[in-house]
Amino acid sequence: LVHEEDRDLVVRSWTSAVESKTPYELEHRIVRSDGGVRFIYTKSRAFQDVSLGAVRIVGASTDITERKLAEEKLQQAQKMEAVGQLTGGIAHDFNNLLTVIVGNLELIYESVRDDSPLRDMIERSMKASDRGAALTQRLLSFSRKQTLLPTDLDLSKLVVGLTDMLRS
């Protein structure tokens, strides 16, 4: 019944316990007759009768599959929590950078003549900064576990905006 990937571990552990006359304690997987895999915790002790050349085993095995699955879910939740915290920190720093960029773009925009070709580049940069700020807000919402509200999006405007930016 022992899962193929766990067999060597079980044999080594059991052999060591018998030779050292110490209790055997191990978590491993088994494969049931229906093909289902279960996690088992086994604790036992071998008693050897030298005169009979036999080994008697006393112990118990417990199905710990539900506990193992709960542990895996907890680990996954902890990972997601860490990702959320990291995302929040990055988004916060990025938002601070965007504030400086937008502020400088606005100052440059005001100092450039109306007929300057730079105005168009500055406007596109400001729109890109706005998209970056919107992304930052979504990242912060994710990190705070806030529900994101769906919004309408004019895809043609978005594509035109990206095309202008990519062309330049």
Side-chain angles (χ1 to χ4, degrees):
L1 296 178
V2 176
H3 192 283
E4 184 178 331
E5 293 175 10
D6 294 347
R7 284 184 188 151
D8 288 341
L9 172 67
V10 170
V11 169
R12 280 194 318 270
S13 299
W14 177 249
T15 302
S16 173
V18 170
E19 288 173 357
S20 65
K21 298 180 175 129
T22 58
Y24 170 80
E25 193 171 340
L26 186 66
E27 289 182 11
H28 63 87
R29 294 168 293 174
I30 63 166
V31 180
R32 297 180 353 168
S33 59
D34 64 1
V37 175
R38 306 298 287 180
F39 287 90
I40 301 296
Y41 169 74
T42 301
K43 186 172 185 176
S44 59
R45 184 173 188 114
F47 296 94
Q48 199 165 12
D49 186 333
V50 180
S51 63
L52 297 175
V55 175
R56 181 173 50 129
I57 303 166
V58 177
S61 292
T62 306
D63 185 337
I64 58 168
T65 304
E66 299 305 318
R67 187 191 86 202
K68 293 294 268 186
L69 293 175
E71 287 173 357
E72 288 174 13
K73 284 182 181 179
L74 176 61
Q75 285 179 340
Q76 187 63 28
Q78 288 171 335
K79 286 179 189 175
M80 288 304 295
E81 180 71 25
V83 167
Q85 290 175 356
L86 178 63
T87 301
I90 292 170
H92 220 314
D93 289 345
F94 188 66
N95 201 35
N96 291 341
L97 293 172
L98 277 176
T99 302
V100 172
I101 292 168
V102 169
N104 285 320
L105 285 172
E106 288 173 354
L107 290 172
I108 294 169
Y109 186 80
E110 290 173 8
S111 67
V112 172
R113 293 184 323 229
D114 290 343
D115 61 344
S116 172
L118 292 176
R119 274 206 174 242
D120 186 46
M121 291 171 53
I122 296 168
E123 286 173 357
R124 285 195 307 264
S125 297
M126 290 171 79
K127 286 179 185 174
S129 296
D130 289 342
R131 287 195 302 271
L135 172 63
T136 301
Q137 287 308 310
R138 288 193 296 271
L139 290 171
L140 286 170
S141 294
F142 167 75
S143 71
R144 295 177 185 142
K145 298 178 186 167
Q146 294 173 340
T147 304
L148 297 175
L149 300 174
T151 58
D152 292 334
L153 177 68
D154 186 343
L155 194 55
S156 62
K157 283 184 182 179
L158 180 64
V159 170
V160 169
L162 288 173
T163 303
D164 289 345
M165 184 173 64
L166 291 173
R167 189 177 297 127
S168 65

